[in-house]
Amino acid sequence: MTEIKLILLFDGGCPLCRKEVSFLRSQDRLGSILFVDIDSSAYDPELYGGIGYREAMGTIHAITSTGEVIKDLKVFREAYRLVGLGWVYAPTSWPVLGSLADRLYRLWAVMRLPLTRRPSVDQLCRSRGHFDS
């Protein structure tokens, strides 16, 4: 049995997120990554570092094998490293390019729902009965 090295929380309601996860799954030949759909009604924050639905919808999160919660581009760097494609995201850790990439990712995270024609986080939370999580 393969050891899970990363638990990656993703929005299964986002078409671009599903595409990314599908690609990563196809490359994860060792089964090092557990993909958890936060959009599922079965998602339980208590099982995943207490990361609530609202917080998880705001930006991508993952939990390492040591229990560390990582966010944003660090998640992609780690996931791609685990599937043997670390070079793809390596430039996002370089000083100048990294800060630009971080800003662009934060902008993407804010605009993700409108760009994919989905309801706002507030509307999604209300539809699931999540008013503060």
Side-chain angles (χ1 to χ4, degrees):
M1 188 167 151
T2 303
E3 176 188 350
I4 299 296
K5 296 184 178 170
L6 188 70
I7 300 170
L8 192 151
L9 308 180
F10 75 98
D11 176 8
C14 170
L16 297 172
C17 302
R18 285 194 312 267
K19 245 183 191 179
E20 184 79 16
V21 166
S22 178
F23 173 74
L24 284 167
R25 275 189 177 129
S26 74
Q27 300 301 304
D28 188 19
R29 292 172 183 84
L30 299 177
S32 300
I33 304 172
L34 173 64
F35 298 93
V36 176
D37 181 359
I38 62 164
D39 195 49
S40 166
S41 61
Y43 177 69
D44 182 355
E46 296 308 312
L47 300 176
Y48 303 104
I51 301 164
Y53 178 77
R54 179 181 294 277
E55 181 182 0
M57 287 295 287
T59 190
I60 193 163
H61 288 70
I63 304 162
T64 67
S65 60
T66 63
E68 177 189 6
V69 174
I70 59 176
K71 301 189 296 187
D72 303 327
L73 287 178
K74 192 170 184 179
V75 172
F76 293 104
R77 282 194 292 270
E78 183 62 10
Y80 274 72
R81 184 189 71 76
L82 288 170
V83 301
L85 296 171
W87 58 270
V88 172
Y89 274 89
T92 67
S93 63
W94 300 347
V96 174
L97 190 55
S99 66
L100 176 62
D102 287 340
R103 278 184 257 152
L104 287 172
Y105 178 79
R106 282 191 292 275
L107 179 61
W108 159 251
V110 167
M111 298 301 299
R112 179 178 67 86
L113 292 173
L115 287 173
T116 57
R117 300 181 191 268
R118 299 199 43 230
S120 71
V121 172
D122 288 337
Q123 290 170 314
L124 289 168
C125 287
R126 277 193 300 276
S127 72
R128 286 168 173 71
H130 299 286
F131 300 101
D132 60 353
S133 60

